[in-house]
Amino acid sequence: MLRRNFLKGAALAASLVSAGAVAAEGESYTIGVAIPSATHGFMGGLNYHAQAAIDRLEATYPQLSFVLATAGDAGKMVNDVEDMVATRNIDALVILPFESEPLTAPVQAVKEKGIWVTVVDRGLSVPGIEDLYVAGDNPGFGRAAGEYFADKLGAGDNVVVLRGIPTTLDNERVDAFEAALDGSGVTILDKQHGNWNRDDAFNVMQDYLSKYDKIDAVWAADDDMAIGVLEAIAQAGREKEMWVVGGAGMKEIIKRIMDGDPQLPVNVTYPPAQIATAIELTALGLVSSTPVSGRFIIGSQLVTPENAKDFYFPDSPY
Amino acid sequence: MLRRNFLKGAALAASLVSAGAVAAEGESYTIGVAIPSATHGFMGGLNYHAQAAIDRLEATYPQLSFVLATAGDAGKMVNDVEDMVATRNIDALVILPFESEPLTAPVQAVKEKGIWVTVVDRGLSVPGIEDLYVAGDNPGFGRAAGEYFADKLGAGDNVVVLRGIPTTLDNERVDAFEAALDGSGVTILDKQHGNWNRDDAFNVMQDYLSKYDKIDAVWAADDDMAIGVLEAIAQAGREKEMWVVGGAGMKEIIKRIMDGDPQLPVNVTYPPAQIATAIELTALGLVSSTPVSGRFIIGSQLVTPENAKDFYFPDSPY
């Protein structure tokens, strides 16, 4: 009984494809999308890109409809998901779990009803429940930044690093950053936790600035932390001494890269638009026979003044 | 200059999405698809699914056009790719390299012109050239089969295994199969190389049948090998003693599973339709702002009598 509704669609689409036609007629499908509320920058961007993908898909495929629910806590998200199944008869669920543990059993129950499940970014506590997993590339995020630092700096140059909240995710990023600097001669003076938080990052950077006379570059590793770091550098009047690389593609930061700000030469993506990839692939599985089960790790890309316009979404809150 | 044409499209599509419209007007894009000729079963299926994806996409997105080239050797494929760039001005290339080594430099040259590159199944010899990599899941292929054997058999039951051509790919599959059987009490009597070849598999199975009096199940691990195995079992008149699991979803095998053949209870996918996933994602990157760079490993699924119709493509040669 697994994937009953989903595969019914795949078979239909396959027969239509054989005839060279678009699956515009025939059965229709409903996709539920459950994501956290836009409580902070990254999740604001994620909400924006989820809605943009839904708008694009509804215009492209008349046979698809969507239920989008946002939740400020795990309990609300559990209710949203149960409601999508009970009252909206969804054929597929796309979910970014608010927390892994409390969402695991409810999502497993959805899966056991034969409904397609796509999980985004944060995994569930039990492996193998989802049909499709979509997430960013944490080692790639650190490596892309590290390769830029290794390329632009050399022996005698000093770098300070701001870490996120202590997690395996943060370890993967920092380990890959350091590995990319191996053999470059660059010195990492310090790496303290700024917890992906603007104020914490401000405090850590103030400390670095008081301790170290020569800092050539800062890996802030996150755009919220980069804002705090830039403020600390400005208060110390040391803007001309060092450049800063954040991460994740906040629009204010991308705009400054576009404008050629020497303090912010590049950025590394960890796109909130990964939710769009997850929704698009789930939809593709319903309107065609294309295989979309598996694991898609979205690459982290280096944003430069030359390509920044392609990563700039002025209408997004992030 | 990287991804110039590609990202031009992404930015355009993003602005259209903001307006809730489909990117039906505006710039058009050409995608080159270079794949091996349909010289044997799996590649025949791959050619079929490539054409089906192109038909579906051309009907869905009028702004997309495609150049499909098939090659019987690496030299022809190199010429095809160079021709796509020189005379068709492609915006993106989807390629299943005929061989890794001779295609690496030509594909790198394509990438250096700012053209998006998607590589399918067989990697290039130098890592990091492609924007997107799409492939099947070899450990998952072995694990899905092994879990079925562990579920259906127990202590005292005997299994024989046919291996493919000696490769890391084959090792990954067999290691995962054996790991899934750990603790089940099932005995693996033997594992010899049938080289993904019907005749070789026939010979290996004849040898097994002469050596072993009690065989409860055969992991043939490939549908061409399964055909050879079934023929050897038939000649020995031992059809009722053992069942056989192949792999990759050949249509004749899938049909027999659909029809409830007790000799062929299940199959495991390693879909030639992965080429469709690669073409669809590449197209999505041109018609929308959805992130599609990264690494997509397509899951291997268990095909049962209940869901077999959804994996049955009667018009495909495979």
Side-chain angles (χ1 to χ4, degrees):
Chain A
M1 287 299 290
L2 294 182
R3 286 180 293 281
R4 177 180 45 86
N5 294 319
F6 190 80
L7 287 164
K8 180 183 62 181
L12 169 74
S15 65
L16 287 169
V17 165
S18 307
V22 184
E25 296 181 340
E27 300 198 49
S28 60
Y29 303 96
T30 303
I31 299 175
V33 178
I35 54 177
S37 308
T39 45
H40 62 284
F42 183 84
M43 282 303 165
L46 192 114
N47 274 256
Y48 167 83
H49 287 287
Q51 189 60 56
I54 289 170
D55 291 348
R56 199 197 82 80
L57 283 162
E58 285 185 335
T60 305
Y61 300 112
Q63 71 271 42
L64 295 183
S65 57
F66 292 84
V67 190
L68 173 63
T70 62
D73 59 68
K76 163 77 161 60
M77 186 174 274
V78 170
N79 290 342
D80 288 344
V81 168
E82 288 171 354
D83 194 53
M84 285 174 186
V85 174
T87 71
R88 300 297 300 270
N89 195 27
I90 55 169
D91 299 285
L93 172 67
V94 179
I95 185 166
L96 195 163
F98 196 91
E99 292 169 47
S100 300
E101 192 57 53
L103 267 303
T104 296
V107 173
Q108 189 152 28
V110 171
K111 173 68 187 167
E112 282 164 4
K113 286 182 189 297
I115 295 168
W116 179 273
V117 172
T118 299
V119 170
V120 186
D121 193 31
R122 297 177 194 159
L124 298 170
S125 302
V126 174
I129 294 173
E130 68 271 11
D131 297 284
L132 171 63
Y133 178 65
V134 176
D137 177 4
N138 289 301
F141 179 90
R143 187 167 52 245
E147 287 172 351
Y148 181 81
F149 279 69
D151 189 42
K152 295 297 172 190
L153 301 173
D157 288 328
N158 294 335
V159 169
V160 291
V161 171
L162 286 95
R163 307 195 58 149
I165 293 172
T167 49
T168 55
L169 183 159
D170 187 64
N171 293 342
E172 287 173 5
R173 291 178 172 190
V174 175
D175 289 351
F177 178 82
E178 294 189 287
L181 280 182
D182 266 359
S184 68
V186 175
T187 302
I188 297 178
L189 294 172
D190 215 333
K191 39 182 187 173
Q192 301 295 327
H193 289 277
N195 303 318
W196 297 317
N197 178 284
R198 204 171 288 201
D199 296 337
D200 289 1
F202 176 83
N203 292 334
V204 169
M205 192 66 205
Q206 268 202 328
D207 181 49
Y208 287 166
L209 289 163
S210 71
K211 275 205 278 199
Y212 304 112
D213 287 337
K214 180 178 185 297
I215 301 173
D216 300 287
V218 183
W219 188 42
D222 171 84
D223 287 337
D224 270 305
M225 292 206 288
I227 300 288
V229 163
L230 290 167
E231 179 59 25
I233 294 171
Q235 290 195 10
R238 293 174 65 177
E239 294 94 330
K240 299 215 184 295
E241 295 176 27
M242 65 196 78
W243 43 265
V244 177
V245 174
M250 182 190 289
K251 67 177 177 181
E252 291 82 3
I253 299 284
I254 300 293
K255 182 70 167 60
R256 287 175 65 175
I257 292 168
M258 251 166 82
D259 294 343
D261 187 330
Q263 247 195 311
L264 289 164
V266 297
N267 201 261
V268 180
T269 60
Y270 188 84
Q274 64 186 266
I275 190 69
T277 312
I279 295 170
E280 289 275 359
L281 278 169
T282 304
L284 183 62
L286 289 169
V287 302
S288 80
S289 59
T290 311
V292 295
S293 71
R295 182 178 174 84
F296 191 1
I297 303 302
I298 297 169
S300 284
Q301 295 180 277
L302 193 71
V303 181
T304 65
E306 289 71 34
N307 69 12
K309 70 179 185 312
D310 303 310
F311 298 95
Y312 182 54
F313 299 100
D315 297 335
S316 170
Y318 186 73
Chain B
M1 285 300 290
L2 294 182
R3 287 180 292 281
R4 177 178 46 83
N5 294 318
F6 191 81
L7 288 164
K8 179 182 62 181
L12 170 75
S15 64
L16 287 168
V17 164
S18 308
V22 185
E25 295 180 339
E27 300 199 49
S28 60
Y29 303 97
T30 303
I31 299 175
V33 178
I35 54 177
S37 308
T39 46
H40 62 285
F42 183 84
M43 282 303 165
L46 191 115
N47 274 256
Y48 167 83
H49 288 286
Q51 189 60 56
I54 289 170
D55 290 348
R56 199 197 82 79
L57 284 162
E58 286 184 336
T60 305
Y61 300 112
Q63 72 271 41
L64 294 183
S65 56
F66 292 85
V67 189
L68 173 63
T70 63
D73 59 67
K76 163 78 161 61
M77 186 173 275
V78 170
N79 290 343
D80 287 345
V81 168
E82 288 173 353
D83 194 53
M84 286 174 185
V85 174
T87 71
R88 300 298 300 269
N89 195 26
I90 55 170
D91 299 285
L93 172 67
V94 179
I95 185 165
L96 196 162
F98 196 90
E99 293 168 48
S100 299
E101 191 58 54
L103 267 303
T104 295
V107 174
Q108 189 153 28
V110 171
K111 173 67 187 167
E112 282 165 3
K113 286 183 188 297
I115 295 168
W116 179 273
V117 172
T118 299
V119 170
V120 186
D121 194 31
R122 297 177 193 158
L124 298 170
S125 303
V126 174
I129 293 173
E130 68 271 12
D131 296 284
L132 170 64
Y133 178 65
V134 176
D137 178 4
N138 289 300
F141 179 89
R143 187 168 53 245
E147 287 172 352
Y148 180 80
F149 279 68
D151 188 42
K152 295 297 171 188
L153 302 172
D157 289 328
N158 294 335
V159 169
V160 292
V161 171
L162 287 95
R163 307 196 56 149
I165 293 171
T167 49
T168 55
L169 183 159
D170 187 64
N171 293 341
E172 287 173 4
R173 291 178 172 190
V174 175
D175 290 350
F177 178 82
E178 294 190 287
L181 281 182
D182 266 359
S184 67
V186 175
T187 302
I188 297 178
L189 294 171
D190 215 333
K191 40 182 187 173
Q192 300 296 327
H193 289 277
N195 303 318
W196 298 317
N197 177 284
R198 203 171 288 201
D199 295 336
D200 290 0
F202 175 84
N203 291 333
V204 169
M205 191 66 206
Q206 268 202 329
D207 180 49
Y208 288 166
L209 288 163
S210 70
K211 276 204 278 198
Y212 304 111
D213 287 337
K214 180 178 184 299
I215 301 173
D216 300 288
V218 183
W219 187 42
D222 171 83
D223 287 337
D224 270 304
M225 292 206 287
I227 299 288
V229 163
L230 289 167
E231 179 59 26
I233 294 171
Q235 290 195 11
R238 293 174 65 177
E239 293 93 331
K240 299 215 184 294
E241 295 175 29
M242 65 197 78
W243 43 264
V244 177
V245 174
M250 183 190 289
K251 68 177 177 180
E252 291 81 3
I253 299 284
I254 299 294
K255 181 70 167 59
R256 287 175 66 175
I257 292 169
M258 251 166 81
D259 295 343
D261 187 330
Q263 248 195 310
L264 288 164
V266 297
N267 201 261
V268 179
T269 60
Y270 189 84
Q274 64 187 265
I275 190 69
T277 311
I279 295 170
E280 289 275 0
L281 278 169
T282 304
L284 184 61
L286 288 170
V287 302
S288 78
S289 59
T290 311
V292 296
S293 71
R295 182 178 175 84
F296 191 2
I297 303 302
I298 296 169
S300 283
Q301 295 179 276
L302 193 71
V303 181
T304 66
E306 289 70 34
N307 69 11
K309 69 178 185 312
D310 303 309
F311 298 96
Y312 182 55
F313 300 99
D315 297 335
S316 169
Y318 186 72

